[in-house]
Amino acid sequence: MMGEMENRRRWWLWLGALAAIGFALRVAGSLGGLWLDEAVSAIHARDAGTPMGVFLQINHDNNHHINSLWMQLVGFGAAPPLTRALSIATSTAAIVIAGLLGARRSPLLGLITASLFALSPILVTLGAEARGYAPMSLAFLTALLLTDRWLAGDARHSPATSLALCFFLGAFSQLITFFAFFALAGWVFFTLWHRDGFRSAVLGSLKLLAPSIIALALVAAIILGAAAAGGKGFKFGGWDPFSWMHYLRGISEMVGYTLGFPDVAVAWFALVPALVVFARSAGYRASRSTRLPFSPFPPRSPCSIRAMSAMRVIISWYRWRCSSSLPRWAGLGSSQADGSAGSPPSASDCSARAASPAMWS
């Protein structure tokens, strides 16, 4: 008992240290002058004049409402660290919430998660600028923690009202919270479907998320209503047409700046299926909760069976490529490695291998 309490105390000390390091990095990053979007937000908040003006007069996607309210509170000429203090505080709190979320899997994973949130260059940057991304992240991480506890049966009461508050504040921090809601809603629905069936999943998801839907609808009504009443509509600072290459490039840059390696080529995404193959070949077996986000249908549904059959063909081909290529990388011919010429399998061979239960055992 004493040993467990000591381990818990040490864990909290480590988490506190990581939060302190993250806080220091964000304060250091906040010392320079406001950059373009921050300066525009400060001007909008000043010109709006009152808190009501933030909601009714700034009909622009650059208006992160809660951040604009903070800018009004501290004043137009406030020192940059003070103008950015809301982001610094919420970003630091997000480190703790991320650690608690990861610790639900294991204490070590909790500290690893907290360290990533504390040290990731992109999160340090977003946590040191006077914008709404840090408050939004804190709100969504809190929603994730509440939902995870509820799905695991660890919550004494339904977190429906708390989730609604998270999404209400998150949306008024940054509007991309709307996309985050759909991600969380999908997680809840497919988890319940996998566990209890389709009907229970629909009813359970609606019961949990109905207050959040109402909260987000209220946010949308306020923003769109104000834009319509202003006569000029809602404005966007920039809107580029979608293309897959731009999308992949954006994802690669996000991954690079998250890990601290900004020059990440799009081609590196080809490693993802290879890593999946190597993990399974090395004996890793994902738990049900880990597989769930990658399985949009229950395992015995027709859609799932067709999708998994196609994936088995692809992975069978990848396994052949890996088994035939690795010996050559090591300086050996495939015939030296396994006694065969290493000829590529046909599509029927791949299908036959994929159909084998051992493929996914």
Side-chain angles (χ1 to χ4, degrees), residues 9 36 38 40 55 71 91 100 111 164 173 201-202 218 224 228 237 244 247 273 293 323 328 334 344 347:
R9 186 183 71 85
L36 177 61
E38 292 176 305
V40 171
F55 292 92
M71 286 182 158
S91 180
L100 293 174
L111 294 179
S173 296
V202 172
L218 179 59
L224 296 179
W244 281 108
Y247 174 77
S323 62
R328 289 197 293 272
S334 59

Side-chain angles (χ1 to χ4, degrees), residues 150-313:
W150 181 78
L151 288 173
D154 297 334
R156 294 183 179 180
H157 307 287
S158 170
T161 303
S162 299
L163 288 176
L165 180 61
C166 288
F167 283 111
F168 185 80
L169 296 176
F172 272 130
S173 296
Q174 225 293 336
L175 291 178
I176 57 176
T177 297
F178 280 86
F179 300 106
F181 168 78
F182 286 106
L184 184 140
W187 173 33
V188 171
F189 174 74
F190 289 123
T191 300
L192 295 179
W193 186 5
H194 191 277
R195 181 191 303 166
D196 304 320
F198 181 80
R199 178 180 173 82
S200 296
V202 172
L203 296 177
S205 299
L206 287 176
K207 185 176 181 180
L208 178 69
L209 299 174
S212 298
I213 295 173
I214 295 172
L216 290 174
L218 179 59
V219 172
I222 292 173
I223 293 175
L224 296 179
K232 296 182 179 180
F234 192 79
K235 297 181 179 179
F236 292 91
W239 188 274
D240 297 325
F242 177 83
S243 75
W244 281 108
M245 285 308 300
H246 287 161
Y247 174 77
L248 291 175
R249 184 60 188 171
I251 294 295
S252 68
E253 290 183 356
M254 181 188 71
V255 171
Y257 282 105
T258 297
L259 301 176
F261 302 100
D263 189 17
V264 177
V266 173
W268 283 101
F269 285 108
L271 284 178
V272 174
L275 289 174
V276 172
V277 173
F278 281 123
R280 294 191 63 83
S281 299
Y284 174 77
R285 293 295 181 267
S287 65
R288 176 179 297 180
S289 61
T290 306
R291 290 196 304 265
L292 188 62
F294 303 96
S295 179
F297 301 98
R300 286 178 293 278
S301 70
C303 292
S304 180
I305 292 172
R306 292 188 181 96
M308 294 299 287
S309 297
M311 287 184 64
R312 287 174 175 179
V313 173

Side-chain angles (χ1 to χ4, degrees), residues 65 147 266 274 328 346:
H65 295 76
T147 303
V266 173
R328 289 197 293 272
S346 65

Side-chain angles (χ1 to χ4, degrees), residues 58-93:
I58 314 176
N59 301 314
H60 196 285
D61 73 328
N62 195 63
N63 179 26
H64 302 172
H65 295 76
I66 291 179
N67 181 67
S68 297
L69 292 174
W70 175 258
M71 286 182 158
Q72 282 189 346
L73 179 64
V74 300
F76 183 71
L82 181 59
T83 304
R84 294 161 171 158
L86 176 65
S87 292
I88 295 172
T90 53
S91 180
T92 303

